[in-house]
C-alpha cells in the first residue's frame, strides 16, 4: 500500500450519531439508542448534542468531519435545519420540519421527517384492527407535530381530515398546503369534529406534565373510534382516560417516539431495531 492510499483510507471507527437540540438534557433519544446498541451488541455511540440556535449551521457542517454518520433533530431546530440541509425529502419539505439527518460520504446533509412514519407505525402496532380509511380523522392542533400527523394520515388514505387549532390561521395554512380533504373547524367547536370520526388525535402539547389538560367535549365521540395522544408524559393523559371511559380504544404517544427513531438507527448503525416492551422501558 502506498503512503498516499494509506492516508486516504478512512480510519476504522464506531459510527457516531446524536440528537441536536437546545436544551437537550430532557431528550429520551439517547436512552433509546443506547438500549438498542447494547441489545444488538453493536459498536457505535449516540450522544446528546446541545447546540444553540445561532450555532446550528456551523455545528451541522462540523459533525460529518467529526465522524458522525447522522443525527436526530429536536426543538428548536426542526424547521431551521431545512435551510442548512443539502437534500430535503419531499415529506420533510411538505411538513416543514426534519427530525432525522443522514450525513453522506461526500459530506452532504440529507434531511428527512420520520414523525409521520412513527405515528402510523405506533397505531399499526397497538391497534392492529385500525383502518385509517374507514372514516374521517379529527386532529386537534396544528403545530409541527400535527403537520407530520396530517401528512401521514392523508398518505394512509383518510378521505376527510378535520382539524381545529387555538390559532385558527395555522389550521387554515395546513388546509392551503395539504388540500381539499382537509376541513377546518373552529377551536370553540372542536367537539363537533368528533361526530363520526374514526381516528382522533391530540397533536397539541396540552395534557403534558406542567400543561393544562386538553378538554374537548366528547359527547359526539363514538366508542368505535381510535383515540391517540402525541403526549407521552404522562402516558395516560386525561384526554385518553376520558376517551377510554367512553369505550374507545386508546393508544399513548410513547410508541410514536420509539418508532420515529427506527429509520435513523437502522441507517446509522446497520440494523433495524425492534420496538417492544424493553425499548419502552428503556425510555420510561
Ligand atoms: P409541536 O412541534 O410539538 O407541534 P408547536 O409547533 O409549538 O409544537 O405546536 C404546539 C401545538 O399545541 C399548537 O397546535 C398549539 O396551538 P397554537 O397554534 O394556538 O399555539 C397547541 N397548544 C399549546 N398550548 C395550548 C393551549 N394552552 N391551548 C390550546 N392549544 C395549545
Amino acid at each position: 500500500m502506498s503512503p498516499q492510499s494509506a492516508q486516504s483510507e478512512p480510519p476504522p471507527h464506531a459510527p457516531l450519531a446524536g440528537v441536536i437540540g437546545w436544551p437537550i438534557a430532557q431528550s429520551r433519544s439517547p436512552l433509546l439508542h443506547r438500549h438498542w446498541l447494547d441489545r444488538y451488541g453493536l459498536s457505535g455511540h449516540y450522544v446528546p448534542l446541545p447546540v444553540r440556535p445561532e450555532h446550528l449551521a456551523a455545528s451541522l457542517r462540523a459533525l460529518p468531519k467529526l465522524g458522525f454518520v447522522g443525527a436526530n433533530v429536536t426543538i428548536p431546530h426542526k424547521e431551521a435545519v431545512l435551510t442548512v440541509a443539502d437534500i430535503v425529502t419531499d415529506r420533510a419539505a411538505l411538513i416543514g420540519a426534519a427530525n432525522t439527518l443522514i450525513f453522506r460520504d461526500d459530506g452532504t446533509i440529507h434531511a428527512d421527517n420520520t414523525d409521520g412514519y412513527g405515528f402510523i407505525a405506533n397505531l399499526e402496532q397497538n391497534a392492529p384492527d385500525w383502518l385509517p380509511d374507514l372514516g374521517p380523522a379529527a386532529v386537534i392542533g396544528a403545530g409541527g407535530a400535527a403537520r407530520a400527523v396530517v401528512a401521514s394520515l392523508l398518505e394512509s388514505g383518510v378521505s376527510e381530515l378535520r382539524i381545529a387549532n387555538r390559532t385558527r390561521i395555522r389550521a387554515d395554512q395546513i388546509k392551503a398546503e395539504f388540500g381539499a380533504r382537509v376541513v377546518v373547524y373552529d377551536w370553540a367547536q372542536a367537539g363537533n369534529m368528533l361526530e363520526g370520526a374514526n381516528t382522533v388525535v391530540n397533536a397539541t402539547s396540552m395534557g403534558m406534565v406542567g400543561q393544562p389538560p386538553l378538554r374537548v367535549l366528547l359527547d359526539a365521540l363514538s366508542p368505535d373510534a381510535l383515540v391517540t395522544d402525541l403526549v407521552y408524559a404522562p402516558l395516560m393523559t386525561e384526554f385518553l382516560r376520558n376517551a377510554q371511559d367512553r369505550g374507545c380504544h386508546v393508544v399513548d404517544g410513547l410508541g410514536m417516539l420509539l418508532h420515529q427513531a427506527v429509520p435513523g438507527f437502522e441507517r446509522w448503525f446497520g440494523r433495524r431495531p425492534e420496538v417492544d416492551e424493553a425499548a419502552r422501558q428503556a425510555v420510561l
Side-chain angles (χ1 to χ4, degrees):
M1 194 186 285
S2 71
Q4 180 63 41
S5 66
Q7 254 177 21
S8 59
E9 278 298 296
H13 70 82
L16 301 175
V19 55
I20 304 167
W22 184 264
I24 197 60
Q26 81 296 343
S27 173
R28 304 197 193 194
S29 294
L31 295 170
L32 177 61
H33 287 265
R34 280 180 210 143
H35 162 78
W36 280 333
L37 286 167
D38 289 348
R39 174 167 174 179
Y40 300 119
L42 298 170
S43 62
H45 303 279
Y46 185 100
V47 292
L49 296 162
V51 174
R52 290 178 184 276
E54 61 271 30
H55 295 152
L56 179 65
S59 301
L60 284 176
R61 290 284 163 215
L63 286 174
K65 298 174 195 153
L66 292 165
F68 279 74
V69 292
N72 286 122
V73 184
T74 189
I75 294 165
H77 301 313
K78 289 172 89 165
E79 290 85 17
V81 82
L82 296 184
T83 63
V84 184
D86 302 295
I87 299 156
V88 175
T89 62
D90 288 347
R91 68 183 156 203
L94 183 64
I95 293 164
N99 69 338
T100 304
L101 303 178
I102 292 156
F103 304 143
R104 297 217 165 125
D105 290 342
D106 63 3
T108 55
I109 299 172
H110 180 272
D112 195 7
N113 193 312
T114 66
D115 282 334
Y117 162 78
F119 173 74
I120 297 289
N122 183 35
L123 297 187
E124 286 175 348
Q125 185 175 43
N126 293 297
D129 295 335
W130 172 72
L131 291 169
D133 51 1
L134 267 192
V139 175
I140 304 160
R147 292 176 70 92
V149 166
V150 168
S152 65
L153 283 171
L154 290 173
E155 200 178 309
S156 300
V158 163
S159 54
E160 180 184 327
L161 191 141
R162 304 166 179 174
I163 187 163
N165 193 52
R166 174 180 60 177
T167 310
R168 182 175 166 127
I169 193 165
R170 294 181 91 185
D172 290 335
Q173 189 65 38
I174 287 180
K175 176 168 178 59
E177 289 173 40
F178 288 82
R181 280 186 285 162
V182 178
V183 181
V184 178
Y185 283 63
D186 264 345
W187 182 241
Q189 263 106 52
N192 290 352
M193 66 178 183
L194 307 186
E195 176 87 51
N198 173 52
T199 312
V200 178
V201 187
N202 173 30
T204 73
S205 50
M206 298 182 80
M208 195 187 288
V209 178
Q211 300 266 348
L214 172 66
R215 294 228 164 99
V216 173
L217 197 62
L218 298 185
D219 291 358
L221 181 64
S222 157
D224 297 330
L226 171 75
V227 181
T228 185
D229 202 321
L230 303 200
V231 169
Y232 56 82
L235 283 175
M236 183 56 89
T237 59
E238 184 181 304
F239 175 67
L240 285 186
R241 194 176 320 106
N242 290 340
Q244 194 172 49
D245 288 347
R246 294 184 65 82
C248 295
H249 186 155
V250 303
V251 176
D252 69 58
L254 187 62
M256 176 174 168
L257 175 80
L258 304 176
H259 282 283
Q260 62 78 32
V262 167
F265 186 92
E266 181 179 25
R267 174 76 196 214
W268 306 322
F269 301 117
R271 168 151 190 173
R272 193 159 185 90
E274 276 153 89
V275 173
D276 55 10
E277 191 51 34
R280 267 177 86 85
Q281 289 305 322
V283 300
L284 281 175

